[in-house]
């Protein structure tokens, strides 16, 4: 299985750093040429609802010249929602962002890009509906409450014994 993340920019602009990963065995490093051409990563296939708010955070580290780093949602109609992180630290740090969807789409692309100079690392990225309940979708919590079951097993059966949490990242 290939990664759902795709490279934005010239070949070799995204590498995996094993020397100082944020989590797991490696961390993506985006190397920027400083010539104004964007480089970064993207993933598509996300869904959003018109008028609904979405919140998230990204963990970044890098050269000061790599900023601003942009977190963008590109909707299927071409609309681009954009948040800029103007300064980044050499050490991994969390940066919050927020979007409100201007239309409903089942094929939104999230992008993390920069046109700066130097390099930046992406530790992790999280995006969820603004009305989430401790990371759970509000509508799912509502349905679970309607069931009024005292205990839920995830995912159930013997699957959990072979599950490695790193596979879910």
């Amino acid at each position: 299985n290939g990664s759902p993340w795709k490279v934005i920019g010239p070949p070799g602009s995204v590498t995996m750093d094993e020397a100082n990963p944020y989590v797991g065995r490696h961390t993506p490093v985006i190397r920027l040429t400083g010539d104004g051409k964007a480089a970064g990563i993207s993933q598509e296939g996300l869904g959003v609802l018109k008028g609904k708010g979405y919140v998230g955070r990204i963990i970044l580290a890098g050269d000061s010249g790599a900023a601003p780093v942009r977190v963008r949602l590109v909707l299927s109609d071409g609309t681009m929602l954009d948040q800029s992180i103007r300064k980044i630290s050499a050490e991994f740090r969390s940066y919050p962002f927020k979007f409100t969807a201007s239309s409903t789409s089942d094929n939104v692309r999230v992008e993390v890009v920069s046109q700066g100079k130097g390099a930046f690392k992406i530790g992790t990225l999280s995006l969820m509906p603004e009305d989430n309940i401790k990371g759970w979708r509000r509508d799912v919590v509502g349905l679970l409450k309607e069931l009024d079951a005292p205990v839920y097993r995830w995912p159930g059966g013997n699957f959990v014994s072979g599950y490695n949490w790193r596979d879910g990242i």
Side-chain angles (χ1 to χ4, degrees):
N1 292 335
S3 172
W5 291 98
K6 306 300 178 205
V7 173
I8 297 172
S13 59
V14 178
T15 58
M16 300 308 267
D17 179 18
E18 294 182 357
N20 185 26
Y22 179 73
V23 67
R25 289 180 292 195
H26 53 260
T27 292
V29 178
I30 291 76
R31 300 194 191 303
L32 306 163
T33 59
D35 61 3
K37 293 182 180 170
I41 59 175
S42 71
Q43 184 179 138
E44 50 189 32
L46 305 175
V48 296
L49 297 173
K50 182 178 182 175
K52 189 168 184 86
Y54 296 87
V55 295
R57 69 180 176 99
I58 186 167
I59 307 290
L60 295 171
D63 303 325
S64 61
V69 174
R70 302 171 88 90
V71 178
R72 301 191 291 216
L73 294 184
V74 183
L75 307 183
S76 55
D77 65 3
T79 301
M80 189 177 300
L81 308 173
D82 192 301
Q83 297 264 313
S84 287
I85 298 153
R86 302 205 181 281
K87 290 183 179 183
I88 60 174
S89 167
E91 301 299 319
F92 283 110
R93 195 170 143 220
S94 179
Y95 302 90
F97 56 85
K98 180 179 176 179
F99 298 105
T100 300
S102 56
S103 64
T104 295
S105 177
D106 287 332
N107 193 27
V108 173
R109 184 174 67 245
V110 63
E111 299 180 346
V112 180
V113 297
S114 178
Q115 295 173 300
K117 185 175 183 179
F120 70 96
K121 298 177 182 182
I122 303 171
T124 189
L125 179 130
S126 172
L127 177 69
M128 62 185 67
E130 186 175 39
D131 64 351
N132 76 84
I133 300 171
K134 295 183 180 182
W136 286 72
R137 284 181 22 194
R138 185 168 292 278
D139 60 332
V140 171
V141 171
L143 291 170
L144 291 171
K145 284 181 179 181
E146 284 181 30
L147 291 174
D148 197 31
V151 176
Y152 292 100
R153 290 180 63 208
W154 175 89
N158 193 32
F159 175 78
V160 175
S161 64
Y163 180 74
N164 182 342
W165 67 270
R166 289 180 181 94
D167 294 336
I169 296 176

